Amino acid sequence: MTTSLQDGQGAAGRAAAGEPPLAAQVCGAARGRGDARDLARGPRLHARALLAPPDGPRGWAADRRKKKDLDVLEVSSIPNPFPELCCSSFTSVLSTDLFPQTNSRKKQVIKIYSEDETSRALEVPSDITARDVCQLLILKCHYVDDHCWTLFEHLTLLGLERIIEDHELVVEVLSDWGMEEENKLYFRKNYAKYEFFKNPMYFFPEHMVSFSMETNGEISPALILQMFLSSSTYPEIHGFLHAKEQGKKSWKKIYFLLRRSGLYFSTKGTSKEPRHLQFFSEFGNSDIYVSLAGKKKHGAPANYGFCFKPNKARGPRDLKMLCAEEEQSRMCWVTAIRLLKYGMQLYQNYMHPYHGRGGCSSQSISPMRSISENSLVAMDFSGQKSRVIDNPTEALSVAVEEGLAWRKKACLRLGNHGSPKASSQSSAISMVIHRSQPWFHHRISRDEAQRLIIQQGPVDGVFLVRDSQSNPRTFVLSMSHAQKIKHFQILPVEDDGQMFHTLDDGHTKFTDLIQLVEFYQLNKGVLPCKLKHYCAKIAL
């Protein structure tokens, strides 16, 4: 009885002290004592039943004061506008649902390899794209970004490799790998990744392209490219390919047709009639891979193999292996499949190379080069007054002359000044100075040179220099032109007791291989095209 009276008087006292009714209701509800209506009603009835009758005027006055205090609790209850604040005494007053959900990106460690098998581990978010990974490695390794750096998916056991497109999520690619598979991610240059947007005539030969509708006049390669990106019309790629029979080791030469709906083959020669066409593979849920060792791994008739690998492939039996007879044919098929699968996304990757999802965009990464570098001009300080060299040909020749002069001075500094052996030592240095150049690959075979050039994109002007295996005193210049690999022997010639290098039987002589390469980077000479991109093995 006493405890109940004290509770009732305590409630009246708190109301008299001026505690806000709404706060009292919310706190009471939070403590589990009913809702706000019960809290306003309960103490009033309980207190009136226990109060003593009034005794005289003072008693009546005290009764009036207590009644006035209790009338505060008789005010009609106000509905709680913040029900989410009502929680038990054992939880936080503010619910976590009130705060905005932060986008906590999970991170994962990935391992990237280079061609010399050096590797680098990176901790990346789950939504990072292949282009963002390339940009991150470019910045960490201080490489020059020429938009040719590419991430490759390498399936070691199958001998297959493919380009991971710039917009693809790297973690999703890794999620398709099995635990027992020894697959790798490679980082290297690929000059042919978007070359078909610049020179489509090299990728779509006329004898392999036809159209589903009748067209008037010749169709330019640029228009063919537009048709690939369009949804209404499409070009049709056709030709003979060697296909590996399912579950067998034998290969069969069949006539294939590539359309927007998939790849088909003809059961009757080169007939394109619907009754003679059978579906071979679609590319919506499959990826296109290039075979690196088709003859050795799969018994292919040539080394220009490629295949369709379903995203949920369970093993080698799910692969659909194909083989072309030359690199130009394989490049046409693979490029057309990439365009039909990704469409305008490829063009956006080409036009906006820094647009990514992983946070490594151009806004968040500072450029490695100076912003004012684009405004640099060539200057000539040889005369009494300096002048700007406006002619680009003259600027290049001046740069080459300065480089040659600097190299000759360096060779003289390495020799003993005033010694009769200085000239012979500088000549010996000029014979080995090329070994430090990134385009020199020392003792590699002809097949290895072709493989390196094809891996980095067989576009015009991709080259490397190597030692000749047939003649140890000579070198070989291997280069790509018209998607074919050509080899030119660099012969040593002697003139006035000094050794030179030449590609044209002595008509043009060079003191060392660096001078020879720099000359043919500026002049076509006897080569089918200028040297543009050197094929190098990088280290991470």
Side-chain angles (χ1 to χ4, degrees):
M1 186 73 82
T2 307
T3 304
S4 300
L5 178 61
Q6 289 175 351
D7 289 344
Q9 292 173 345
R14 283 194 301 269
E19 183 177 352
L22 180 59
Q25 295 167 14
V26 173
C27 293
R31 296 189 186 99
R33 298 179 183 174
D35 59 5
R37 188 180 302 275
D38 294 336
L39 183 64
R41 225 177 253 174
R44 175 176 61 87
L45 297 176
H46 193 63
R48 280 188 173 181
L50 297 176
L51 284 178
D55 186 10
R58 291 185 179 181
W60 288 109
D63 185 37
R64 283 197 301 270
R65 285 196 302 270
K66 290 182 180 180
K67 184 178 180 181
K68 183 178 180 181
D69 294 337
L70 291 174
D71 287 340
V72 176
L73 297 176
E74 292 182 305
V75 180
S76 59
S77 62
I78 303 175
N80 184 10
F82 307 108
E84 63 271 12
L85 294 179
C86 299
C87 53
S88 66
S89 58
F90 301 101
T91 59
S92 174
V93 177
L94 294 179
S95 173
T96 55
D97 295 336
L98 299 177
F99 298 99
Q101 295 293 332
T102 57
N103 184 17
S104 57
R105 300 191 297 177
K106 295 182 180 179
K107 291 190 176 182
Q108 182 174 339
V109 177
I110 63 175
K111 200 171 186 180
I112 311 293
Y113 289 84
S114 64
E115 286 181 317
D116 64 350
E117 294 303 320
T118 58
S119 62
R120 189 160 190 161
L122 298 175
E123 186 180 20
V124 297
S126 58
D127 60 346
I128 194 169
T129 62
R131 176 59 194 168
D132 293 336
V133 172
C134 292
Q135 189 69 16
L136 192 61
L137 290 171
I138 289 169
L139 295 177
K140 286 183 176 292
C141 300
H142 306 287
Y143 295 141
V144 177
D145 188 8
D146 54 0
H147 309 317
C148 294
W149 294 103
T150 310
L151 204 62
F152 288 85
E153 179 188 7
H154 182 85
L155 308 183
T156 307
L157 297 178
L158 299 176
L160 302 176
E161 191 175 75
R162 77 173 180 99
I163 295 174
I164 302 179
E165 302 296 348
D166 286 344
H167 64 276
E168 288 189 74
L169 300 181
V170 178
V171 176
E172 286 187 0
V173 175
L174 299 180
S175 64
D176 293 335
W177 294 358
M179 295 295 294
E180 70 284 354
E181 295 177 341
E182 299 178 358
N183 301 332
K184 295 180 180 180
L185 294 177
Y186 276 91
F187 171 70
R188 66 168 180 266
K189 285 195 173 185
N190 181 25
Y191 299 104
K193 181 167 66 170
Y194 297 126
E195 186 68 18
F196 51 86
F197 286 118
K198 305 173 187 176
N199 300 302
M201 69 286 299
Y202 297 145
F203 290 82
F204 304 109
E206 294 182 2
H207 66 278
M208 292 184 62
V209 184
S210 60
F211 302 93
S212 59
M213 62 178 186
E214 298 199 5
T215 56
N216 297 324
E218 285 189 23
I219 302 297
S220 64
L223 186 56
I224 295 175
L225 196 60
Q226 292 178 9
M227 290 182 177
F228 271 114
L229 301 176
S230 172
S231 59
S232 57
T233 60
Y234 63 91
E236 187 179 78
I237 307 298
H238 58 86
F240 282 97
L241 289 171
H242 298 272
K244 186 177 182 180
E245 298 187 64
Q246 202 75 11
K248 299 180 181 179
K249 294 183 178 180
S250 59
W251 292 72
K252 187 176 181 181
K253 193 174 183 179
I254 309 175
Y255 188 75
F256 280 87
L257 293 95
L258 179 65
R259 294 175 176 175
R260 194 172 293 277
S261 56
L263 184 65
Y264 300 84
F265 66 92
S266 178
T267 58
K268 188 174 182 180
T270 59
S271 175
K272 297 183 181 181
E273 295 184 19
R275 59 194 180 98
H276 296 150
L277 294 181
Q278 287 192 13
F279 182 76
F280 182 79
S281 176
E282 55 88 29
F283 35 81
N285 296 318
S286 301
D287 292 317
I288 184 74
Y289 289 80
V290 171
S291 178
L292 302 179
K295 282 186 176 182
K296 184 178 179 180
K297 289 275 188 183
H298 308 284
N303 282 324
Y304 309 109
F306 61 99
C307 78
F308 289 92
K309 177 180 174 294
N311 297 338
K312 302 300 180 182
R314 299 178 180 177
R317 291 191 174 184
D318 293 336
L319 303 179
K320 297 187 176 181
M321 305 292 300
L322 298 168
C323 182
E325 296 182 350
E326 57 182 1
E327 179 60 29
Q328 187 183 33
S329 175
R330 177 172 71 172
M331 187 70 71
C332 179
W333 287 102
V334 173
T335 304
I337 292 170
R338 287 178 62 200
L339 283 168
L340 289 176
K341 181 176 181 179
Y342 297 108
M344 285 299 297
Q345 181 65 57
L346 280 188
Y347 187 70
Q348 292 175 3
N349 295 345
Y350 166 65
M351 294 300 295
H352 307 286
Y354 294 108
H355 182 68
R357 293 177 55 188
C360 295
S361 61
S362 58
Q363 288 81 9
S364 60
I365 294 180
S366 58
M368 293 299 295
R369 290 186 166 191
S370 171
I371 298 176
S372 61
E373 194 170 294
N374 295 328
S375 61
L376 298 179
V377 295
M379 299 289 294
D380 179 17
F381 298 99
S382 59
Q384 294 181 352
K385 294 183 179 180
S386 60
R387 67 182 182 90
V388 177
I389 304 177
D390 296 324
N391 190 350
T393 305
E394 183 185 359
L396 286 175
S397 62
V398 169
V400 172
E401 289 177 4
E402 287 185 357
L404 295 176
W406 176 86
R407 191 161 55 252
K408 289 178 181 178
K409 291 178 182 178
C411 292
L412 291 175
R413 284 195 299 270
L414 291 173
N416 296 323
H417 295 287
S419 172
K421 296 182 180 180
S423 61
S424 61
Q425 289 179 355
S426 63
S427 177
I429 291 172
S430 66
M431 297 297 291
V432 297
I433 195 175
H434 56 270
R435 295 186 182 275
S436 62
Q437 300 302 308
W439 40 258
F440 186 73
H441 289 257
H442 201 42
R443 297 175 182 175
I444 63 173
S445 64
R446 185 188 185 99
D447 294 338
E448 180 69 10
Q450 293 186 172
R451 185 188 67 82
L452 286 174
I453 293 177
I454 289 176
Q455 277 190 351
Q456 296 201 10
V459 301
D460 287 358
V462 177
F463 74 97
L464 60 86
V465 180
R466 57 188 174 89
D467 288 316
S468 175
Q469 292 184 323
S470 58
N471 189 348
R473 295 185 58 210
T474 63
F475 303 95
V476 177
L477 171 67
S478 301
M479 64 175 298
S480 172
H481 179 255
Q483 296 183 347
K484 294 181 179 179
I485 312 300
K486 300 182 180 181
H487 308 273
F488 301 89
Q489 198 166 33
I490 303 173
L491 299 173
V493 293
E494 187 176 353
D495 186 9
D496 196 16
Q498 189 176 358
M499 295 300 296
F500 295 92
H501 301 280
T502 182
L503 270 174
D504 52 6
D505 297 328
H507 293 287
T508 310
K509 294 174 287 187
F510 306 94
T511 57
D512 53 45
L513 292 182
I514 298 179
Q515 191 181 50
L516 182 145
V517 169
E518 288 177 346
F519 175 83
Y520 286 106
Q521 284 177 326
L522 302 175
N523 306 277
K524 183 172 107 173
V526 294
L527 300 178
C529 65
K530 296 179 184 179
L531 304 180
K532 296 180 181 178
H533 313 291
Y534 60 83
C535 186
K537 286 187 176 182
I538 64 167
L540 291 177

